[in-house]
Amino acid sequence: MTEITGKKKLPAAVERFILHWGDMGDEWGVNRSVSQIHGLLYLAEAPMTAEDIADTLGMARSNVSNSLKELLAWNLIRRVPILGDRRDHYEAETDVWEVAARIAARRKEREIDPAIAALQACVSDAADDPTISPVASKRLKEMLAFTELADHWFMQMLKVPRPRLVALMRLGEKVANLLPLGKAK
């Protein structure tokens, strides 16, 4: 059994956020417990111990420990020392832009980079295989070009200073009207 009853009562909005963050993580392929712990630490006013987290969320201590290791690997939380307490305390990165950048970078590492490598191998193999149809070969090249373009765009966006990135995002589709191709119909 990984869940423990007798969790601490959280304000309704905090509990709703933690549950929703857990659901979102689950949709993205991240363990629900990992996401819920991140949500709790993100909203926490002070660093928390693993025991505090387990008690608050009603989770088994072993589940919390494994989840904390994963969050540390994602660089979304950090250990912080507390004077007079030998236990590990954890706090989340609270800059939402930094959180988004770290999640995106980790997802790129886990999903986009391997996809590019696999597509490059497929394109290379297709070029050397006379049994591959021209249609399949063309589509593999298009998929590779698209994935590399998306990867290149992501890497460029990491270098854009935050105020300019915010302005760019606020422009939305208006930015397309600034392009030399003219206005979209």
Side-chain angles (χ1 to χ4, degrees), residues 40-55:
L40 174 65
L41 290 173
Y42 179 75
L43 295 182
E45 294 178 25
M48 298 178 73
T49 65
E51 293 81 14
D52 295 336
I53 295 166
D55 290 345

Side-chain angles (χ1 to χ4, degrees), residues 152-171:
H152 181 70
W153 176 83
F154 172 76
M155 295 307 294
Q156 286 181 321
M157 290 302 104
L158 287 178
K159 297 174 188 171
V160 175
R162 187 176 301 168
R164 294 189 80 185
L165 186 58
V166 170
L168 180 63
M169 291 175 74
R170 286 192 175 136
L171 278 173

